Amino acid sequence: MVQIPRTPTSADVARLAGVSRATVSYVLNKAGAVRISEATRRRVHEAAEELGYVPHAAARSLRAGHSRTVLMPAPAFPAGPLYGQFLSDLQGALGRLDYTVVQHGTAGPHGDTAARAWAELRPVAVLVPAPGLGPEGVRVLKRAGARAVVTLGPEAVEGAHALLMDHAAVGHHAARHLYERGRRRIGVVVPEEPGLALFSAPRLDGARRALAGTDATVTALPLAYEEPAAARLAARWSGLGLDAVFAYNDEYAMLLSRALQDEGVRIPEDTAVIGADDLMLGRLLRPRLSTVHIELPAGRELAALVDRAVRDPAAPPERHRVLGARVVHRESS
Amino acid sequence: MVQIPRTPTSADVARLAGVSRATVSYVLNKAGAVRISEATRRRVHEAAEELGYVPHAAARSLRAGHSRTVLMPAPAFPAGPLYGQFLSDLQGALGRLDYTVVQHGTAGPHGDTAARAWAELRPVAVLVPAPGLGPEGVRVLKRAGARAVVTLGPEAVEGAHALLMDHAAVGHHAARHLYERGRRRIGVVVPEEPGLALFSAPRLDGARRALAGTDATVTALPLAYEEPAAARLAARWSGLGLDAVFAYNDEYAMLLSRALQDEGVRIPEDTAVIGADDLMLGRLLRPRLSTVHIELPAGRELAALVDRAVRDPAAPPERHRVLGARVVHRESS
């Protein structure tokens, strides 16, 4: 049986460095208010290094009454490259402000039950991709010491700061573009994958509202991200009588375009196609794919908002519209 | 100024429920060994609910001496769809075993300095995508109470369990396939993006070793994931005299194939192309893209390994080869 070494404590460090435990705590937790000589600091660091001691974040947060942990529940939908990059930028920016970003796993409970699980970690701030948090969840988190709760999604939640991402604008821009290109019978792809309704429903709705009162029609086209599903949709394409399609995003646009081309449908002559997200792959398709470019907030700005909210937990909730959308017109529409 | 409510404590819950603090702790922390009547349990839960009390994970882990937290540092490379799905499955599987998975942000220190930052969170287990941990880092984590340290990568680290992902096998399979298709002058794309050398170097090496002693040559082709870079490489393609290319993965294969086709290079007649990852987009290309299908371990199995290691921290490190690779031959090679 292998001997597992005992975890060194701050008392061990204090003994080796010849200082008090309080001094160890001040030095290693970087408590700025206390003046400690450079020589003492060095002795403490050397003793900690030698013993392999690291401070206990949980103990520190119990003492301080709060942590530097920013909790981000993992999104319940498959994060594409665009959103993945956004999350990664944000984590980097928060890290540079000395926050520890932890992502809570996807599995398990949702909604306000999830909020209780997050609250157990006593984060100083919580950044929640919508949906998955109601006003009660916000209250649970704040009672557990979260100084800032920030939601990212289509709607604000009472008591939380809101970064409003208006996906209706994406559908609006796509539909207006197709209309202006002379199309009147417009299909809108609605992915069947769970979790994506959060984005697809407002995109469809935005397309509908953009064309309300015009002579154009909007047809919802449920579609799974699978070749056979796309082939089935393409096989009944002529019967649908559509002359354009907003394909939800670039990946669905690639899937559906290929199936349409395999059926002999010419793009854009017979059917104009537009995607969204402005991924590299759209530029590599032939014809080159038109798309809605989506602008997400810079990680740096969002990290600054979190930091501001942590410093002033009593400030009234902020609301920011953070999603920009514009059409990039290429050859497919 | 808005009044911030005081965080309720377990003492508040005990008072409202008319029980001791110990009973509150037993009930809410699900300490199985203690027998408590159903009526008392219900009273405690109701009181906690009414007050909005949630247990403090940090306090609980201080008492227990360890947590149920599995820490996964975010990978330092852009996680593609394949790896993203793997991580998400794994998080789900650990969640079902009642672990809380937290991902530590990407930014900040690397290597053994990073290990100290992770150790502050006192995780019961750490799952580290390679590189970024040496034997000293493993010791730091174990001294801080981590019962299991598991690395995912090409090489084992002393003291840690290793899930060995042999990317040389990916290059080996790709190169052997091209050779068997009669190709002799084989290019291997090496992405210029930081962080990817971890995968690209063994893939190139695997291709080289697969063809050592044959009449074939292997040429490394540095390439950034950008259209102009691909166009520049394609413009000097005929001068390179290659008849085949292993394009690192499907996304690079799409980028390079398009640039080659725009230059009038015929695929596969002039140049055979094979990618890796077996993504949907390869099936949608014309000609359909040959690829190396990569099999990653099931989240369930990996979660079981973590759980086993947590239960028996003194067991000798396990080594498992977990990456399977096989060629999917389509039209591009």
Side-chain angles (χ1 to χ4, degrees):
Chain A
M1 166 117 182
V2 179
Q3 182 66 40
I4 302 169
R6 187 177 67 84
T7 304
T9 65
S10 64
D12 299 329
V13 177
R15 206 171 303 121
L16 185 62
V19 300
S20 70
R21 275 190 68 180
T23 301
V24 170
S25 172
Y26 287 138
V27 171
L28 296 181
N29 294 320
K30 297 177 198 136
V34 180
R35 296 185 72 168
I36 294 172
S37 76
E38 200 38 57
T40 304
R41 279 182 199 283
R42 201 174 325 115
R43 255 198 346 270
V44 170
H45 281 295
E46 282 167 4
E49 178 86 6
E50 187 176 332
L51 294 170
Y53 171 79
V54 288
H56 194 317
R60 183 163 59 199
S61 75
L62 280 174
R63 274 196 304 274
H66 64 86
S67 67
R68 291 292 286 178
T69 301
V70 177
L71 182 76
M72 295 184 61
F77 48 85
L82 190 74
Y83 197 77
Q85 186 57 49
F86 163 68
L87 291 183
S88 161
D89 285 352
L90 174 60
Q91 291 192 348
L94 285 166
R96 283 188 291 279
L97 293 176
D98 202 28
Y99 291 98
T100 299
V101 180
V102 301
Q103 261 198 296
H104 199 282
T106 36
H110 286 287
D112 296 339
T113 313
R116 266 185 286 276
W118 307 335
E120 292 195 14
L121 298 169
R122 294 293 190 271
V124 71
V126 181
L127 261 167
V128 197
L133 195 67
E136 177 55 27
V138 174
R139 275 191 294 273
V140 166
L141 289 165
K142 290 200 159 177
R143 277 206 216 103
R147 295 181 172 209
V149 180
V150 183
T151 62
L152 295 93
E155 286 174 11
V157 177
E158 193 194 316
H161 302 283
L163 298 174
L164 296 165
M165 297 191 167
D166 176 16
H167 282 271
V170 179
H172 179 97
H173 279 82
R176 287 304 309 181
H177 170 75
L178 295 172
Y179 187 85
E180 282 158 15
R181 303 292 301 163
R183 307 298 165 136
R184 292 296 177 268
R185 293 180 57 78
I186 294 170
V188 176
V189 168
V190 180
E192 291 180 343
E193 280 66 32
L196 294 183
L198 185 64
F199 306 108
S200 62
R203 287 182 190 193
L204 174 61
D205 193 48
R208 286 219 161 101
R209 278 186 286 143
L211 301 182
T214 71
D215 56 338
T217 60
V218 170
T219 306
L221 301 170
L223 177 62
Y225 192 63
E226 291 161 6
E227 281 184 282
R232 280 194 301 274
L233 178 56
R236 58 189 188 89
W237 198 253
S238 61
L240 291 168
L242 301 175
D243 59 15
V245 62
F246 166 42
Y248 176 67
N249 72 9
D250 290 353
E251 289 169 306
Y252 279 85
M254 182 178 182
L255 174 68
L256 181 57
S257 295
R258 171 54 60 204
L260 291 175
Q261 288 172 325
D262 286 352
E263 277 286 324
V265 176
R266 293 168 307 157
I267 298 172
E269 294 83 352
D270 302 329
T271 300
V273 178
I274 185 167
D277 287 359
D278 195 7
L279 301 184
M280 167 81 87
L281 64 83
R283 271 169 278 162
L284 300 177
L285 296 182
R286 297 294 180 269
R288 289 177 175 81
L289 182 66
S290 295
T291 191
V292 180
H293 180 91
I294 296 177
E295 204 85 60
L296 290 174
R300 199 166 24 80
E301 288 166 40
L302 182 43
L305 180 148
V306 170
D307 190 46
R308 204 161 61 233
V310 165
R311 287 163 192 276
D312 186 7
E318 297 183 33
R319 304 263 177 283
H320 298 280
R321 299 197 161 272
V322 296
L323 186 145
R326 64 182 163 81
V327 167
V328 179
H329 181 205
R330 298 197 188 105
E331 301 159 359
S332 67
S333 63
Chain B
M1 164 118 183
V2 179
Q3 182 66 39
I4 303 168
R6 186 176 69 86
T7 303
T9 66
S10 64
D12 299 328
V13 177
R15 207 171 303 122
L16 185 61
V19 300
S20 70
R21 273 189 71 181
T23 302
V24 170
S25 174
Y26 289 136
V27 170
L28 296 182
N29 295 320
K30 298 180 197 130
V34 181
R35 295 186 72 168
I36 293 172
S37 75
E38 200 39 58
T40 303
R41 279 184 201 283
R42 200 175 325 116
R43 251 193 356 264
V44 170
H45 281 295
E46 281 168 5
E49 178 85 6
E50 186 177 334
L51 293 169
Y53 171 79
V54 288
H56 194 317
R60 182 162 59 198
S61 75
L62 280 173
R63 272 196 306 274
H66 64 86
S67 66
R68 292 291 287 177
T69 302
V70 176
L71 182 76
M72 295 184 62
F77 48 85
L82 193 72
Y83 198 78
Q85 186 58 49
F86 164 67
L87 291 183
S88 160
D89 284 352
L90 175 59
Q91 292 192 346
L94 285 166
R96 283 187 292 278
L97 293 176
D98 202 28
Y99 291 98
T100 299
V101 181
V102 300
Q103 260 198 297
H104 200 282
T106 37
H110 287 288
D112 296 339
T113 313
R116 267 185 285 277
W118 306 336
E120 293 196 12
L121 296 170
R122 294 293 190 274
V124 72
V126 182
L127 261 168
V128 197
L133 195 69
E136 177 55 27
V138 175
R139 277 192 292 275
V140 166
L141 288 166
K142 290 198 160 179
R143 278 207 217 102
R147 297 181 169 208
V149 180
V150 183
T151 62
L152 295 93
E155 287 173 10
V157 178
E158 193 194 317
H161 302 283
L163 298 175
L164 297 165
M165 295 190 170
D166 176 16
H167 283 271
V170 179
H172 178 96
H173 280 83
R176 287 304 309 181
H177 170 76
L178 294 172
Y179 187 84
E180 282 159 15
R181 303 292 302 165
R183 308 298 166 134
R184 290 298 177 266
R185 295 182 56 76
I186 294 170
V188 175
V189 168
V190 179
E192 291 181 342
E193 280 66 32
L196 293 183
L198 184 64
F199 308 106
S200 61
R203 287 182 189 192
L204 173 61
D205 194 49
R208 285 218 161 101
R209 278 186 286 142
L211 302 182
T214 72
D215 56 338
T217 60
V218 170
T219 305
L221 302 169
L223 177 62
Y225 192 62
E226 290 161 7
E227 279 185 285
R232 281 194 301 274
L233 178 56
R236 59 192 188 86
W237 199 253
S238 61
L240 291 168
L242 302 175
D243 59 14
V245 61
F246 166 43
Y248 176 67
N249 71 12
D250 291 352
E251 288 168 309
Y252 279 84
M254 182 178 182
L255 174 69
L256 181 58
S257 294
R258 171 56 58 204
L260 291 175
Q261 288 173 324
D262 287 351
E263 277 286 323
V265 176
R266 292 168 308 156
I267 300 171
E269 294 82 354
D270 303 329
T271 300
V273 178
I274 186 168
D277 286 0
D278 195 7
L279 300 184
M280 167 81 88
L281 64 82
R283 273 169 277 160
L284 300 178
L285 295 182
R286 296 297 179 268
R288 289 177 175 81
L289 182 67
S290 295
T291 191
V292 181
H293 181 90
I294 296 177
E295 204 84 60
L296 291 174
R300 199 166 23 82
E301 289 166 39
L302 183 41
L305 183 147
V306 170
D307 190 48
R308 205 160 62 233
V310 165
R311 287 163 192 277
D312 186 5
E318 297 183 32
R319 304 262 178 282
H320 299 281
R321 298 195 163 274
V322 295
L323 186 144
R326 63 181 163 81
V327 167
V328 178
H329 181 205
R330 298 199 188 105
E331 301 159 358
S332 68
S333 62

